[in-house]
């Protein structure tokens, strides 16, 4: 097996594709449990190289400031305030270009491996305006205004990065342009990771000193990420991540996180304990660091931070938020290590800015946890908890070919993969995405919802909404609100699916205070077919392949 070859599943993918859905699901989920996605070894080196280029880009731009940028003297300047400021601005540019989160094969993006600017700079591509129907800017496709504003944002970011110092004249355009781009296409705002980088840039622009505000933003990232895991979803995430991690490649280790492989793939006691420890660690890091004084307490907090992000980085998670984890680590050392003496109380000196920071670090995340159907999981800071909104798009027969009527920067999934592999290998890889969805607790709702959506799943091509968003919007990163009714409507207007040709199942996140999840089923041509609620307790009893399909014996329906 070569460096570019995926780990082959323990079955023939073409034969697997012809089997009944319960059996297909059982086979692919068991394969994921021991093999993960089957990522080629070379892919990990590509991501490692990308991180090196990301860090190298930061060093390069720091070099425009006198006294900074010499790699051999990095220990003398890496904790300088301007170096941190440039790290934030550079990270926003890196992400909004599409080079960071949501890039490469671990997000279902094969060729080209990025979307971002390839999509956002192309008139006629599909977008999701915040104010639909508004003249000139509220349409479902990108026009010269969208392209120009995005290009101006890129130019403004580069202009700030090559400056010796960052002042209001350089920062204010960024403060204005990022939300303006978001009004025209909310995909761009989310791709910029604006809940972190843009909010911090606003602090840079309007606070002097700005350290307290930047600390508040970073502490919120950890705290709300921990809060988002106070549910039954995260143990399944531990299972999925462990099975896919390049550092836990031994089958006996991966079996330990499941109750009884291969028959019971629910999280084991070990996986549940790991999830609880991880949640406690994520909640503790900001608390310990906030109360640290630069001594032992701060050191303990920084060690905990390294443990937390070191584990995440070692798993190379799907969605690949690798550079984001790197800059959060750097921010921890700069904000809470080098400036442990700065208190969050310093925000009271600028009450208007304090209110703005509170909106994005307290009010919006709280609202997003209590009413997750109303807000992106990124603005809610519910990171990698497994409790995400998602969708599955079901194309009848070859109706997916109508997507070629869209203007986009990437082709149909199999057409992308055909550049590298024979069709059998491609089918095996795309099939693993089904396992990724079903192995999460929320994904098991599909076992109950799929029979409501279509009469015969064998007649439909199952495509995760994440992969659809990657092709159609140029960016995807776990936010099911990017591929809900708004995208369906935009796609239908351009593609014209007939009734029954495209059915979509949409499942919302579990609210913090409720033990259930909302769902909807939509036909692209005729509209909503049904909606309801499903109990978390019911999902916890299901195996990933527990589909209830019409006809067949109970054993066949269970895939036994």
């Amino acid at each position: 097996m070569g460096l570019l070859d995926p780990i082959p599943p323990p079955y023939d993918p073409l034969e697997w594709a012809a089997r009944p859905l319960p059996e297909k699901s059982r086979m692919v989920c068991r394969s994921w449990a021991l093999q993960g996605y089957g990522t080629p070894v070379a892919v990990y080196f590509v991501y490692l190289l990308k991180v090196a280029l990301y860090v190298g880009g930061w060093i390069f731009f720091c070099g425009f400031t006198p006294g900074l940028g010499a790699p051999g003297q990095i220990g003398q300047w890496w904790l300088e305030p301007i170096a941190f400021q440039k790290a934030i601005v550079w990270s926003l540019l890196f992400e909004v270009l599409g080079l960071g989160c949501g890039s490469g094969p671990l997000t279902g993006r094969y060729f080209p491996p990025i979307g971002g600017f390839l999509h956002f700079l192309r008139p006629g591509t599909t977008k999701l305006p915040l104010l639909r129907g508004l003249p000139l800017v509220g349409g479902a496709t990108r026009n010269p205004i969208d392209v120009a504003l995005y290009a101006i944002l890129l130019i403004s970011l580069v202009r700030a990065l090559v400056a010796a110092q960052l002042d209001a004249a350089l920062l204010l355009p960024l403060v204005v342009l990022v939300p303006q781009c978001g009004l025209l296409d909310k995909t761009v705002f989310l791709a910029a990771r604006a809940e972190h980088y843009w909010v911090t840039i606003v602090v840079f622009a309007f606070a002097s000193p700005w350290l307290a505000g930047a600390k508040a933003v970073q502490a919120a990232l950890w705290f709300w990420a921990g809060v988002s895991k106070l549910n039954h979803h995260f143990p399944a995430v531990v299972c999925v991540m462990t099975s896919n991690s390049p550092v836990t490649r031994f089958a006996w280790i991966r079996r330990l996180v499941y109750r009884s492989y291969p028959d019971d793939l629910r999280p084991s006691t070990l996986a549940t304990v790991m999830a609880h420890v991880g949640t406690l660690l994520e909640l503790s890091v900001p608390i310990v660091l906030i109360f640290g004084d630069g001594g032992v307490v701060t050191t303990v907090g920084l060690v905990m931070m390294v443990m937390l992000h070191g584990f995440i980085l070692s798993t190379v998670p799907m969605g690949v938020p690798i550079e984001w984890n790197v800059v959060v680590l750097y921010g921890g050392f700069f904000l809470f290590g080098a400036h442990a003496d700065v208190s969050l109380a310093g925000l009271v000196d600028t009450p208007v800015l304090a209110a703005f920071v509170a909106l994005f670090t307290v009010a919006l995340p709280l609202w997003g946890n209590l009413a997750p159907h109303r807000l992106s999981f990124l603005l809610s800071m519910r990171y990698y908890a497994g409790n995400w909104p998602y969708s599955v798009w079901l194309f009848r027969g070859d109706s997916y070919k109508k997507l070629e009527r869209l203007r986009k920067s990437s082709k149909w999934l199999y057409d992308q993969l055909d550049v590298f592999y024979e069709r059998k290998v491609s089918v095996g890889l795309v099939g693993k995405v089904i396992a990724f969805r079903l192995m999460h607790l929320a994904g098991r709702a599909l076992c109950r919802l799929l029979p409501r959506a279509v009469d015969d799943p064998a007649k439909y091509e199952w495509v995760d909404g994440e992969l659809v968003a990657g092709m159609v919007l140029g960016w995807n990163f776990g936010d099911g609100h990017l591929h809900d009714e708004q995208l369906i409507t935009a796609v239908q207007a351009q593609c014209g699916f007939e009734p029954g040709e495209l059915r979509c199942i949409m499942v919302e996140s579990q609210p913090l205070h409720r033990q259930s999840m909302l769902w909807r089923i939509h036909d692209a041509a005729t509209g909503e077919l049904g909606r309801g609620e499903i109990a978390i307790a019911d999902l916890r009893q299901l195996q990933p392949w527990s589909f209830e399909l019409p006809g067949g014996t109970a054993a066949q329906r269970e895939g036994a």
Side-chain angles (χ1 to χ4, degrees), residues 56 180 204 269 275 479-480 517 523:
Q180 282 185 338
F204 293 160
T269 300
D479 192 343
M517 305 172 73
D523 184 283

Side-chain angles (χ1 to χ4, degrees), residues 13 36 60 65 67 155 163 177 226 228 239 261 274 282 284 317 323 407 415 453 463 498 520 528 539:
F60 171 76
T65 298
I155 293 168
L177 285 166
S228 71
C239 295
Y261 178 87
M274 290 171 65
E282 202 154 30
S284 300
E323 291 84 5
R407 189 166 192 186
D415 294 332
V463 184
E498 297 296 326
R520 306 179 305 283
E528 187 175 291
L539 299 182

